[in-house]
Amino acid sequence: MADNPDIDLELEERPSHEIVAAVTDGRAELGIIADTVDSGRLERAVLRPDPLVVITRPGHALAARAHVAFSECLGHPFVGFTEGNPLQEHLSGQAQPLGLRPRYRAHLPTTEAICSAVAVGVGIAVVPARAVVRWQRTYDLRVVDLTNSWAKRNLLLCSQRWSGLSEAAAALAARLKAHGAPAATPDDAGAEGA
C-alpha cells in the first residue's frame, strides 16, 4: 500500500470455506485460504507452507514429544482463540468427528496472549508454526508437530480468474505470488482462513 497510495484495501479474516464462497460469488477478488478446503474451480497459487503445531510449557507431558495426533491432545486443557476466529472454528470441526470436545480454560484474542498463557501452564494450544517462531523469543515454549493431515497445510492465493482481476488486485496478486504472503498470525492476518 505504501507503493500504491491511490489504492485502498479491505481485508477481512474469515474461515477458508467462507473465503472460497466470497471469491466464487464475486464479493472478493482475491482470497488467502488453506489448502485443506475444496476451492472448487477457483484458480490458485501456493504462497507458503502453514502447518499447525501444538505448543506446551516445558515439563508438560507432551513437551518431549516430536509429534502427536490431535486426538491425543484432547485429554489436556486447552487455551484457544476467541469465538469466531477461523482457526478456532477449524479446530472445533476437527474435534467433532472424534466425539470429543477440547476443554478450554481460556479463549484469548491474540497469538501472543495464547503463548503467554501456555508458557505459564494454563493449557496447551494449536497455532500456526510460523506464529510460534515470533513468540518463542519471549516465552519458553515447546513445539510439537501434529501428525494429522489437516495440520500439514499450505496457504493458497485464489481468484475466479487471474486474467479477470482489477488492476489493483492483479498488482497485489503479483506481489504476493512473487514474495509469498507475510508471516501472518491469527492476530495480524487479513484474509487468511483456516
Side-chain angles (χ1 to χ4, degrees):
M1 292 181 73
D3 294 340
N4 298 283
D6 297 329
I7 296 174
D8 296 326
L9 181 64
E10 184 176 331
L11 295 175
E12 292 183 28
E13 186 176 4
R14 298 279 184 253
S16 289
H17 68 277
E18 289 182 17
I19 294 170
V20 168
V23 173
T24 300
D25 297 346
R27 291 178 280 131
E29 284 192 81
L30 295 171
I32 298 175
I33 62 173
D35 64 359
T36 54
V37 300
D38 181 4
S39 57
R41 295 174 19 168
L42 295 178
E43 295 183 3
R44 302 165 307 281
V46 176
L47 294 176
R48 65 171 169 82
D50 190 45
L52 297 175
V53 297
V54 175
I55 56 173
T56 73
R57 65 171 170 72
H60 187 275
L62 299 176
R65 306 261 313 255
H67 47 80
V68 65
F70 184 59
S71 60
E72 295 177 78
C73 298
L74 295 174
H76 300 277
F78 274 77
V79 178
F81 290 100
T82 52
E83 187 176 329
N85 177 282
L87 178 56
Q88 195 63 38
E89 290 180 14
H90 178 66
L91 293 175
S92 294
Q94 297 305 323
Q96 274 183 337
L98 301 172
L100 301 169
R101 294 182 73 172
R103 180 174 76 98
Y104 284 96
R105 296 196 61 216
H107 289 276
L108 302 170
T110 66
T111 303
E112 180 184 13
I114 288 172
C115 289
S116 173
V118 168
V120 297
V122 175
I124 64 173
V126 175
V127 295
R130 287 179 66 132
V132 178
V133 171
R134 176 178 179 188
W135 298 112
Q136 274 186 305
R137 291 179 231 132
T138 306
Y139 303 107
D140 193 8
L141 300 167
R142 299 299 179 261
V143 176
V144 182
D145 292 332
L146 279 167
T147 58
N148 305 77
S149 59
W150 53 261
K152 294 167 182 28
R153 62 188 195 165
N154 290 299
L155 291 183
L156 307 175
L157 181 65
C158 64
S159 172
Q160 282 185 356
R161 286 178 295 122
W162 302 126
S163 62
L165 292 174
S166 67
E167 187 176 324
L172 177 59
R175 186 175 186 115
L176 289 172
K177 288 179 192 177
H179 301 290
T185 62
D187 33 290
D188 62 14
E192 180 179 340

